[in-house]
Structures are given as C-alpha cells and as structure tokens.
Amino acid sequence: MTSFISAWIWSERFWLPENVSWTDLERPPAGVEYPRLQHMLCHAFPLAVGVLLFRLLFERLVARPCARILQIQAGAPRRVQPNAVLERLYQSNTSPDMRQLEGLSKQLDWEERKVLRWFRIRRNQDKPSTQKKFCESMWRFTFYLVIFIYAIGHLWVSPWMWDTKQCWYNYPFQPLSPEQYNYYVAELAFYWSLMVSQFTDVKRKDFMIMLVHHLATIFLITISYANNMLRAGTLVMCVHDASDIFLEAAKLANYAKYQRLCDSLFVVFSISFFLTRLVIFPFWIVYSVLFESWQIIGPYQAWWLINGLLLVLQILHIIWFYLIARIAVKAIFKGKVSKDDRSDIESSTDEDISSNGSKNCQTSKLRDSSNTVALNGETHDH
C-alpha cells in the first residue's frame, strides 16, 4: 500500500516531461549530480529545528542588546483592575458591542466609558512589546540580507540570470551545483521555521494569507527541487527576498523611533516591492516559466500546477501592494507613514493615541518569505 501511494504521488507522467523518468535523474553521468529530494529533506528538517534554536539565541544575544542600546525597552503593559465578570466575557469576546457594554455597565454600576477602557487595557496586556517585535524583525532582516547576498553571488555569474531561456535548455538534465543545493536547503529550512514560529510570533490580521503564502512557497521549493527546476527556482526565491530586506529595515527604524529613516526606507521598500514583485517576477520569471518553457520543452501535467502556484503568489503580491498603496496615499496626505491597516496594536487610552500618533511610523511586512505590509510587527514574508 505504501509503495502504491508513493508511486501515485510521484507519478512520472505527472511530474516530469514526456520520455523522462526518475531513474534517468538518479543515474547522472560521471562527475555530474542531479537533485535528489530525499537528500534535501534529510538536511532541511533538522536544519529547520536548528534555525529555530539559532533564532532564539540570536534574539537573546544580539537583537535584545541592540534594542537596549537603541533604548527600546520591553515595557510592562498597564494592568487592569481584576474583574471576574469582565474577564469571563473577554475570554470569548475581546471587543464587546454596544448592547453588551450597556448590560455590563448596568450589571457592574460602571460608566460605559470605564468598561470600554477596561477592555482596551486588557487587550493591550496580551499585546507583544515593541522590543519583541524589534527582535523578530532584526532576525528576519539578518536572514534576508545574508541569503540575498549569497544568492546574488551565485546568480550573478550564472547565464540563466541574464538569459532565462537557459533555464530550459537540456531540462531536466541540468547539473546541481553546491551553491544551488545550499540555497535551497537554507530557504526550505527557513520557511519551515516560519510555519512554526508564525503561531508564536506577533499575530497579524493577514495570518491566513501568510499561511497560504508559506504553504505555497514550501510546496514550490520542494517540487521545483524534485524535478530539477532549480534555475527558475533560484530566481524566484532571490526576487522575493530582495524587497523584504528593506521592509524589515524600515520596521527596525520604526521601533527605534527614527521617523525620517523609517519613511525613507518605506519609500525604498515600496519601489523595490513594485519592481521585483509586480515587474520582474511576472514579466521576467513567470513569463519564462509560462511561455519560454512551453516553447523549449513543452507543457506537461506538473507544468500546469507550478504555473498555477506562481500565479497564486502573484495574486498575493497584488493584494499586498494594494495595502502598501493605501499606506502611501495616507502618507501623502498626512506627511508621514501612517498606521498599518493590518495592525491589532492600539493605545491604552485616548490620550495615548493622540500623544503617540505624531511620533510613530508604522508600516507592514509582505514574508516571507514574506513576504506582507506592516511595520508595526508581522507574522514573514516571505
């Protein structure tokens, strides 16, 4: 039964072009290595655990001291007056409607404004501190910067970066280089770690969108490695990492309260996102996978699936750029980058809102990974 299911999942008729078998890829010529999925998975899963552990050390030993140097304190949130009635309702509904407020006001003999303030402060107790968000962003910024530099160093001397038709000549019998293998293993391990940490990181309103993004990314990385579509795959990953660097840098400037630097980095991020995700990705990479591959090797069953997933990512890019554009429009009229539309963060009192509103630059992530828009914290990405 196991063999039958495995043969059905990895059907050669589905995953490979006509007249190509898995045996052909398992027996490369002397001195040539083709990708083997089991080799990558054997390294990627343990490395994902290592990435999570390394991230904990990085945030504690590097990011947190940097936050203290920048005077970004963890800060204990204001505590609410203990109240069993309100706490019981809060566990099922963190934002009561007007009818519930009126009922609570009569039951407790409190003013509605006092009840509303209790819920506002109680919600803030569950919010992550600015230092925590700074540490998360510094980790992602470091990873994206390092992996992008590594990818560019490899792709710059690769002929398929300058002529995408080279991705399909002699496909799938293209040799695997150590740089391609390292890049794929690192990216897959990172996105698996994001899948886990997404449930413990700062929660965003686009949680489900990022979950879809991470799943699509992991699936694309896995199947593109399995059927040796590495040349196009490295281009896709490199393009996605480029703008994330500036987003995370802008978020770091936001948390450190460097307003002008934050605004400048947000502009750079917006431009880089537009160029990489809405110009280079669809008109250079997706075009190559969709049309050039059709001309050189012809379509096969997995070809439709891969192009479908790439188009799903493109739809997500359009959604995120819409959110970025909304922030940019607000920035034009208000003179600064405004509050992130995805943010769940709110001030404890009306006075806090008015006093902090003139100082904070808040925008948004597009990760991970991704990648998603919000400088006030993120899911990443990627």
Side-chain angles (χ1 to χ4, degrees):
M1 179 62 70
T2 303
S3 300
F4 174 79
I5 295 175
S6 177
W8 179 77
I9 293 176
W10 295 107
S11 170
E12 295 172 345
R13 293 182 58 189
F14 182 85
W15 292 109
L16 298 175
E18 188 176 355
N19 299 323
V20 178
S21 68
W22 295 118
T23 304
D24 296 332
L25 295 177
E26 292 173 357
R27 298 175 181 176
V32 175
E33 184 70 26
Y34 292 149
R36 295 190 182 185
L37 183 60
Q38 60 269 30
H39 291 174
M40 183 181 70
L41 295 180
C42 287
H43 291 89
F45 287 123
L47 184 59
V49 177
V51 168
L52 288 171
L53 295 177
F54 181 77
R55 172 183 170 173
L56 294 176
L57 292 175
F58 178 87
E59 291 185 356
R60 175 171 296 184
L61 302 179
V62 179
R64 198 172 297 170
C66 290
R68 295 195 187 102
I69 292 174
L70 294 171
Q71 298 182 346
I72 302 174
Q73 302 299 325
R78 181 179 173 185
R79 311 296 296 184
V80 296
Q81 174 185 345
N83 188 293
V85 175
L86 297 180
E87 184 65 31
R88 187 162 51 250
L89 177 61
Y90 177 82
Q91 296 304 319
S92 59
N93 184 6
T94 59
S95 300
D97 55 30
M98 290 304 299
R99 183 180 60 81
Q100 290 173 316
L101 285 176
E102 292 176 0
L104 291 171
S105 176
K106 295 177 181 178
Q107 181 179 353
L108 300 174
D109 195 24
W110 286 12
E111 293 182 0
E112 290 185 15
R113 181 180 177 84
K114 185 177 179 180
V115 176
L116 188 62
R117 182 179 293 113
W118 188 97
F119 276 91
R120 183 182 299 125
I121 298 173
R122 180 64 182 87
R123 286 194 296 269
N124 282 339
Q125 285 182 202
D126 294 338
K127 301 301 180 184
S129 67
T130 302
Q131 186 181 101
K132 175 177 172 59
K133 292 183 288 184
F134 177 90
C135 292
E136 288 183 9
S137 289
M138 188 169 182
W139 160 247
R140 286 190 295 267
F141 168 79
T142 303
F143 176 84
Y144 290 134
L145 179 62
V146 171
I147 201 67
F148 179 76
I149 293 173
Y150 182 87
I152 283 295
H154 163 62
L155 290 173
W156 196 263
V157 296
S158 302
W160 57 86
M161 180 172 180
W162 313 106
D163 179 12
T164 53
K165 290 183 178 180
Q166 296 288 334
C167 294
W168 313 112
Y169 293 143
N170 199 36
Y171 174 83
F173 304 108
Q174 299 169 341
L176 169 69
S177 68
E179 292 81 7
Q180 288 174 324
Y181 179 79
N182 295 336
Y183 189 29
Y184 258 77
V185 170
E187 287 279 8
L188 184 59
F190 178 71
Y191 276 100
W192 273 116
S193 71
L194 284 185
M195 282 290 295
V196 176
S197 63
Q198 185 175 359
F199 294 91
T200 58
D201 287 347
V202 177
K203 293 297 187 297
R204 310 300 308 173
K205 292 180 180 179
D206 69 344
F207 178 88
M208 290 306 301
I209 293 179
M210 287 307 301
L211 187 62
V212 172
H213 175 272
H214 293 338
L215 288 172
T217 302
I218 289 171
F219 190 61
L220 275 171
I221 291 174
T222 302
I223 65 175
S224 66
Y225 188 88
N227 63 4
N228 202 11
M229 204 175 285
L230 304 187
R231 296 182 178 183
T234 52
L235 294 176
V236 171
M237 293 189 293
C238 184
V239 163
H240 279 74
D241 289 338
S243 60
D244 289 339
I245 298 171
F246 300 106
L247 174 64
E248 299 300 338
K251 289 160 70 174
L252 293 175
N254 167 51
Y255 301 140
K257 292 183 171 59
Y258 291 118
Q259 174 71 50
R260 292 184 179 179
L261 179 59
C262 172
D263 291 344
S264 299
L265 288 171
F266 179 76
V267 171
V268 175
F269 159 70
S270 302
I271 295 172
S272 65
F273 184 91
F274 177 80
L275 292 177
T276 57
R277 308 286 185 96
L278 298 184
V279 178
I280 295 176
F281 181 71
F283 296 107
W284 184 40
I285 299 176
V286 175
Y287 174 84
S288 177
V289 180
L290 197 59
F291 297 105
E292 292 178 347
S293 66
W294 180 295
Q295 296 171 358
I296 296 173
I297 63 175
Y300 51 100
Q301 295 184 46
W303 180 92
W304 298 96
L305 174 64
I306 292 171
N307 279 283
L309 289 172
L310 290 176
L311 293 175
V312 167
L313 289 180
Q314 186 57 45
I315 291 172
L316 294 176
H317 297 162
I318 294 171
I319 294 173
W320 288 326
F321 189 73
Y322 167 74
L323 297 176
I324 296 174
R326 289 182 60 180
I327 295 174
V329 169
K330 291 180 181 179
I332 293 174
F333 290 101
K334 297 183 179 181
K336 60 182 176 60
V337 178
S338 70
K339 186 178 181 297
D340 168 29
D341 290 325
R342 299 186 315 137
S343 177
D344 289 328
I345 306 300
E346 56 185 293
S347 298
S348 298
T349 65
D350 297 335
E351 292 75 20
D352 291 336
I353 295 175
S354 61
S355 63
N356 291 337
S358 61
K359 297 186 291 183
N360 292 336
C361 163
Q362 300 173 340
T363 41
S364 165
K365 161 117 168 97
L366 281 137
R367 244 188 142 122
D368 359 67
S369 330
S370 133
N371 269 199
T372 182
V373 254
L375 292 197
N376 202 18
E378 195 260 328
T379 144
H380 200 226
D381 294 10
H382 260 291

